[in-house]
Structures are given as structure tokens and as C-alpha cells.
Amino acid sequence: MSMMVSAPLYADDIDVLANALFAWCAERSIKLQSQEGLSAANVAINLYDAGYQTQDRLLGALHDHEFH
């Protein structure tokens, strides 16, 4: 199995990811430590790597993502 290595995350990157993720979880009354919260965190990182690198764009992409 090969793993893709993404660029390192810096403080500003983490702030964008965390703020969007916390907002998304708060809107849905989901705890970040829950399975759904952790799944959203994984999706958020993938979306960030795909170019959604502002809080608004990332939160919008999380809203558009279908979670199962």
C-alpha cells in the first residue's frame, strides 16, 4: 500500500482547518472526538489538500460533502 505525503501544515493551515471543522461540528451538535467528528476531520484535511484553503471555502466544501 502506498501513502501520499502532503506538504507540512503550519500554524495558519491548522487554524483554517480547526476553525472550519469546529464550526461544522457545532452546527450539527457533533463532538469532534466522535466517529462522525473524526471522519469530518479526515475529509477536511483531504479537502484542504485539494485546494480549499480558506475557512469559508473549506466550510462550504464540508457542507457539500456527503457523509455516510
Side-chain angles (χ1 to χ4, degrees), residues 1-62:
M1 171 193 290
S2 65
M3 294 180 62
M4 188 171 112
V5 178
S6 61
L9 295 175
Y10 297 100
D12 290 343
D13 302 317
I14 293 170
D15 286 344
V16 168
L17 280 163
N19 290 334
L21 187 57
F22 290 148
W24 187 89
C25 286
E27 291 169 358
R28 288 159 179 75
S29 299
I30 295 170
K31 292 184 179 187
L32 182 57
Q33 297 85 6
S34 70
Q35 186 61 43
E36 192 172 3
L38 295 174
S39 176
N42 188 43
V43 169
I45 291 168
N46 290 336
L47 289 167
Y48 189 87
D49 284 343
Y52 297 91
Q53 297 183 344
T54 67
Q55 183 176 337
D56 289 339
R57 290 192 69 218
L58 184 55
L59 187 56
L62 282 169

